[in-house]
Amino acid sequence: KLCTLASEQRKRVKNPAFYKVALLQHLFTKVLPIPRPTSAKATDGKGCVWYTPMIYALQLDILLLLKRLFEHFVSSAFAIVTTREFDAVKIVVGAAIMTIADVIFRTEATDIPSEASMVYRLHGYGISMWPFDEQSETIMVTMPEINIARTGVLDYFHDIDTKTEKSIFSWNIALRPSAATNAYLQTLCHEMGFSYANLPQFLTGEAWQIVKNFPEVEFFRDICFFSKWLMSTNPQAFPRFGRPYDQKSAELTWRYIQNEDRFMVAAFRMELKTDSKGHRWPSYAVASRFTQPHAVLTEDDILHVRELNDFDNALGQRDSELLLSALTVPYLRIPLVVSFFATEDRVHALKSDTLRKLLDSVVFEPSRYLHKGGLKAPAVVPTKDEKLLNTPYGLLLNELTRSPTQVVRATIQLMKLALSLDAGSYFSSQSVIILYLLRFGMRVENFMTFVLDYAAGRTHATLELRDTVVSKDVVEFLKESHKQLRELLEVNFLTMLDGWTQEVLARATRLQEEATNKAQTEIDKHKTNVESLDTMFQKKKFRKMAKRKLKKVHDKKLSEAANDYDKLFEIAADLRAHEILLYRNCPESAWTFTKMAKFVSTFSFLSARHSWNAEHLSMPEPEVFEVLQTCRRVLVAKTQQLAMGKTNSMMECVASLVADSEELKIAR
């Protein structure tokens, strides 16, 4: 209902796509638990809400609701310009929806069991999660809940362990009727006495019997398709990003092309493809990427490369060797690489966009997944079996729960170095590095906060991280470090951002005054030229010519000033967006009236003055709305407790900040 209301009230609700994506991401990664594995060796689903007995009507309603929510999610996701970080959200949320749909579809209703569900469950059919496990190795995960959901999905399907010959709806291999899909349809037709002719048309609905009598098959089919489609590595598989799509745009139309033996699936006014090969976002945390044409696997291989990559003259040969050597040991790469940059001489190298991407990949890529029961200690060090170095919830969470000292101290050191680079002006050459390190520190803090919340029991009641123990020593260290990190953010960085923002807005004010003065100068010059003429005829003739010329010059000057003015306000919006991210992990008890007024007014400034979906921010725009969604409950609860006078003061702060920005305008 909320998604539909947001979609249908675009005149009142700005940027509904961002709000819907944030809402659904929050729902499927923080509120609803991922179904637990089903086998007897994996607790048989005890304590999991998704194994609650249900009647057929409820089973059908849940699948229909999941399909509608998926349509809202997909249409909204493609209405937003994509980034590597946002791709991680799309892939994992889609997989989470499909996991819930699978457990519901295979449930035996207590009143009228569905033959479609019974055949699916009792005959051993299931869904293959390829290429989710492979694609999710190199996604950029900046929020720990995404990693938790990813592992939950892989645990569930790994436990089911569907055989290849029983895996239906394998759309990523080929958009064709596979042998397993045909066998499932044939078995269902046998149970109901339907004809076996043209089995694929039963799936598309062109042969109406199955879709008409078992609508849950249609719902499950579409949910599986959406999830597989989001994992495609073909850039041509998706509609153009940033268009105002609605739920109807995502409605799937199926048809079976008999002479080509394939399905044609259409939505968004185009035919959709699901082919997948390799990674959509190849990792920057692989040494071989920077030593082409030489392939390197070990530190010894790097020693044999004659000339190493200097990353656009950012690193010398010795530093490049140290950095690339660290990439050859994936399990240790996070503390090694973060510590590498946490020095006064190397922090400047992060001005290189390639090195920033490398550091992000090292820290925030989850890497290979460790399945349940796969935790074994290597017999030999270094081990030749790379699978023994896999982690259940990603490398960063593994580091923070087991040995956080090095990576946390290096992160805090990086943030202190960022502050030392501040020359008091946004327009200094180091501002790119400073803002990047601020984002980096806040993202690491996301994971630190999650570990502390989990250890204190403040996460979801049913959440239990397998193969993960957070010791008291780790908790104490993280608490102290988190306190230090929050102080840096809320005191030093917030003060710096406020100063930079005021500087940018002051420059915009001066630009407005200069543009007005220049325009007035041109008008005065025109009047002077007219008065200097002798006859009325000359004045009239000159006035017409000069008026046209003056308008052209005047418009050109205003246009140039307006473009510069817009750039300044986009810079201010970017700085405000960093301020919003800063509050994501603010504890509930720490939300004072001042912080609440600051957060609400800053977000209102962005809503009023920022051009969304134009790629002006130095961070993925959905992250801003994710912070709002995360903090919304606390903000609403705290605001309701305020006296009316305090609430009015908060709204005055909002009105003042937005009104001041609205006064700064240059007419086009």
Side-chain angles (χ1 to χ4, degrees):
K1 183 178 178 181
L2 287 174
C3 290
T4 303
L5 286 172
S7 299
E8 296 302 320
Q9 299 186 53
R10 293 177 181 271
K11 292 183 179 179
R12 296 188 177 185
V13 180
K14 289 185 176 182
N15 312 304
F18 289 95
Y19 285 108
K20 289 196 291 180
V21 164
L23 173 63
L24 293 173
Q25 176 187 343
H26 185 82
L27 175 66
F28 287 105
T29 61
K30 295 183 181 179
V31 178
L32 297 178
I34 301 297
R36 292 184 179 179
T38 58
S39 71
K41 65 181 180 182
T43 72
D44 199 22
K46 291 179 181 178
C48 181
V49 66
W50 300 113
Y51 294 94
T52 305
M54 65 183 70
I55 61 175
Y56 175 66
L58 179 58
Q59 180 185 33
L60 201 60
D61 283 346
I62 293 176
L63 288 171
L64 175 59
L65 179 61
L66 288 174
K67 178 190 172 183
R68 288 175 176 170
L69 289 176
F70 218 151
E71 288 174 345
H72 276 294
F73 181 75
V74 168
S75 60
S76 300
F78 286 103
I80 299 172
V81 175
T82 195
T83 62
R84 190 179 180 190
E85 294 88 342
F86 186 44
D87 241 17
V89 173
K90 290 190 290 186
I91 291 172
V92 173
V93 171
I97 295 174
M98 187 172 74
T99 306
I100 296 173
D102 183 87
V103 74
I104 297 299
F105 187 68
R106 64 174 62 247
T107 298
E108 180 179 354
T110 57
D111 56 348
I112 312 171
S114 164
E115 283 79 3
S117 297
M118 298 301 290
V119 168
Y120 183 74
R121 182 170 67 91
L122 297 179
H123 289 259
Y125 291 103
I127 302 297
S128 168
M129 277 312 292
W130 185 87
F132 178 72
D133 51 349
E134 180 181 334
Q135 286 289 352
S136 62
E137 290 178 1
T138 60
I139 57 177
M140 185 73 67
V141 179
T142 59
M143 292 159 279
E145 296 82 5
I146 298 295
N147 267 344
I148 304 303
R150 169 198 182 235
T151 300
V153 169
L154 290 171
D155 279 352
Y156 174 84
F157 283 102
H158 181 270
D159 187 75
I160 293 176
D161 194 23
T162 303
K163 305 301 180 185
T164 304
E165 61 272 15
K166 292 288 187 177
S167 180
I168 68 173
F169 302 162
S170 301
W171 310 128
N172 289 110
I173 297 175
L175 202 53
R176 300 179 183 276
S178 65
T181 303
N182 283 340
Y184 168 73
L185 294 171
Q186 183 173 333
T187 306
L188 182 55
C189 288
H190 177 76
E191 292 288 330
M192 299 304 298
F194 299 151
S195 169
Y196 295 172
N198 296 322
L199 287 173
Q201 292 185 346
F202 283 112
L203 191 62
T204 63
E206 293 168 290
W208 57 269
Q209 286 88 341
I210 288 182
V211 172
K212 186 72 172 178
N213 290 282
F214 304 104
E216 61 271 21
V217 174
E218 177 187 355
F219 304 152
F220 189 52
R221 174 203 69 187
D222 287 356
I223 290 170
C224 291
F225 179 86
F226 278 135
S227 182
K228 298 284 188 177
W229 178 50
L230 290 174
M231 300 179 209
S232 174
T233 56
N234 180 3
Q236 306 303 319
F238 305 114
R240 292 185 63 181
F241 296 104
R243 299 296 182 88
Y245 301 115
D246 55 21
Q247 184 186 4
K248 182 68 176 176
S249 303
E251 184 178 341
L252 297 179
T253 302
W254 289 74
R255 191 157 65 90
Y256 176 59
I257 311 298
Q258 192 164 359
N259 60 341
E260 299 178 15
D261 189 32
R262 69 177 182 89
F263 294 114
M264 190 192 80
V265 187
F268 299 97
R269 298 183 180 180
M270 63 179 288
E271 183 178 351
L272 307 181
K273 306 291 185 182
T274 56
D275 50 310
S276 183
K277 184 178 180 181
H279 293 102
R280 190 188 306 174
W281 301 95
S283 175
Y284 276 79
V286 178
S288 293
R289 184 182 182 122
F290 306 104
T291 59
Q292 296 297 332
H294 308 286
V296 296
L297 298 175
T298 66
E299 185 178 359
D300 290 340
D301 295 335
I302 292 175
L303 296 176
H304 288 85
V305 179
R306 184 179 296 274
E307 186 174 355
L308 297 173
N309 195 321
D310 61 5
F311 299 94
D312 301 322
N313 296 319
L315 294 178
Q317 289 293 293
R318 183 177 180 278
D319 284 345
S320 181
E321 179 189 327
L322 289 173
L323 177 60
L324 295 177
S325 296
L327 298 183
T328 63
V329 282
Y331 195 78
L332 300 173
R333 73 187 188 192
I334 291 182
L336 290 176
V337 174
V338 178
S339 299
F340 172 85
F341 286 107
T343 60
E344 292 184 0
D345 56 331
R346 295 188 186 124
V347 69
H348 297 275
L350 290 173
K351 200 164 188 177
S352 164
D353 182 60
T354 303
L355 287 176
R356 294 198 298 272
K357 290 178 179 178
L358 183 150
L359 180 56
D360 281 339
S361 290
V362 164
V363 176
F364 299 113
E365 285 180 7
S367 195
R368 293 186 297 267
Y369 156 77
L370 178 69
H371 62 79
K372 188 175 178 65
L375 184 62
K376 297 178 183 178
V380 180
V381 178
T383 180
K384 295 182 179 179
D385 186 0
E386 293 184 354
K387 292 182 179 179
L388 296 178
L389 302 180
N390 296 359
T391 60
Y393 298 102
L395 290 172
L396 182 55
L397 270 177
N398 184 74
E399 200 72 32
L400 292 176
T401 54
R402 297 176 186 275
S403 180
T405 307
Q406 188 71 16
V407 63
V408 171
R409 286 179 177 171
T411 299
I412 293 175
Q413 178 63 17
L414 277 172
M415 299 188 74
K416 289 180 178 179
L417 288 172
L419 290 169
S420 70
L421 295 177
D422 179 24
S425 170
Y426 167 82
F427 300 98
S428 71
S429 59
Q430 306 299 328
S431 60
V432 173
I433 302 176
I434 296 171
L435 290 178
Y436 167 74
L437 289 175
L438 173 58
R439 293 193 301 275
F440 178 83
M442 289 189 291
R443 288 169 172 177
V444 173
E445 190 209 8
N446 291 345
F447 288 80
M448 292 172 61
T449 303
F450 176 84
V451 174
L452 289 172
D453 287 345
Y454 175 74
R458 291 191 294 266
T459 52
H460 199 288
T462 63
L463 179 62
E464 183 178 349
L465 302 185
R466 62 172 177 83
D467 302 326
T468 302
V469 178
V470 186
S471 68
K472 291 183 179 180
D473 291 340
V474 167
V475 171
E476 289 302 316
F477 173 77
L478 289 179
K479 278 184 179 179
E480 186 62 33
S481 300
H482 185 254
K483 181 180 178 182
Q484 188 178 355
L485 196 57
R486 289 305 306 174
E487 185 177 350
L488 286 173
L489 291 173
E490 294 184 10
V491 178
N492 303 87
F493 278 100
L494 189 57
T495 303
M496 180 195 73
L497 290 173
D498 279 337
W500 284 6
T501 305
Q502 295 306 318
E503 176 197 20
V504 171
L505 293 178
R507 182 171 291 198
T509 304
R510 290 197 301 272
L511 184 65
Q512 179 179 245
E513 294 172 353
E514 290 171 2
T516 304
N517 293 336
K518 287 180 180 178
Q520 186 61 45
T521 301
E522 292 293 337
I523 294 172
D524 294 342
K525 182 179 178 181
H526 169 67
K527 290 180 179 179
T528 302
N529 290 336
V530 171
E531 294 300 325
S532 65
L533 298 175
D534 296 332
T535 66
M536 184 63 66
F537 175 77
Q538 288 177 322
K539 289 181 179 181
K540 186 176 181 180
K541 182 178 179 182
F542 180 82
R543 189 179 287 116
K544 287 182 179 180
M545 294 173 59
K547 188 175 182 180
R548 289 194 297 269
K549 183 178 179 181
L550 176 63
K551 186 177 186 307
K552 188 179 294 186
V553 173
H554 181 263
D555 290 348
K556 183 179 179 181
K557 290 183 178 296
L558 283 182
S559 177
E560 292 173 353
N563 289 334
D564 293 338
Y565 175 85
D566 287 342
K567 291 177 182 177
L568 288 172
F569 255 91
E570 289 303 339
I571 292 172
D574 189 32
L575 297 175
R576 296 291 193 196
H578 282 79
E579 291 183 16
I580 289 176
L581 260 62
L582 188 145
Y583 289 104
R584 184 185 189 272
N585 301 303
C586 183
E588 184 173 348
S589 59
W591 279 97
T592 62
F593 171 78
T594 303
K595 289 180 181 178
M596 291 164 60
K598 178 77 171 175
F599 183 90
V600 175
S601 58
T602 301
F603 195 90
S604 300
F605 175 89
L606 278 178
S607 297
R609 298 300 298 161
H610 175 58
S611 300
W612 298 94
N613 254 347
E615 300 183 88
H616 291 312
L617 298 186
S618 54
M619 68 188 73
E621 292 176 337
E623 280 193 30
V624 178
F625 287 84
E626 190 273 339
V627 175
L628 176 65
Q629 184 65 44
T630 299
C631 302
R632 187 194 303 275
R633 184 187 60 81
V634 175
L635 287 171
V636 171
K638 292 279 188 179
T639 304
Q640 289 175 339
Q641 297 171 7
L642 293 176
M644 184 58 68
K646 284 283 189 180
T647 306
N648 291 339
S649 298
M650 183 189 296
M651 293 302 104
E652 282 295 328
C653 291
V654 173
S656 175
L657 187 64
V658 175
D660 287 346
S661 67
E662 288 293 338
E663 289 177 3
L664 293 173
K665 284 186 177 179
I666 295 180
R668 267 59 174 177

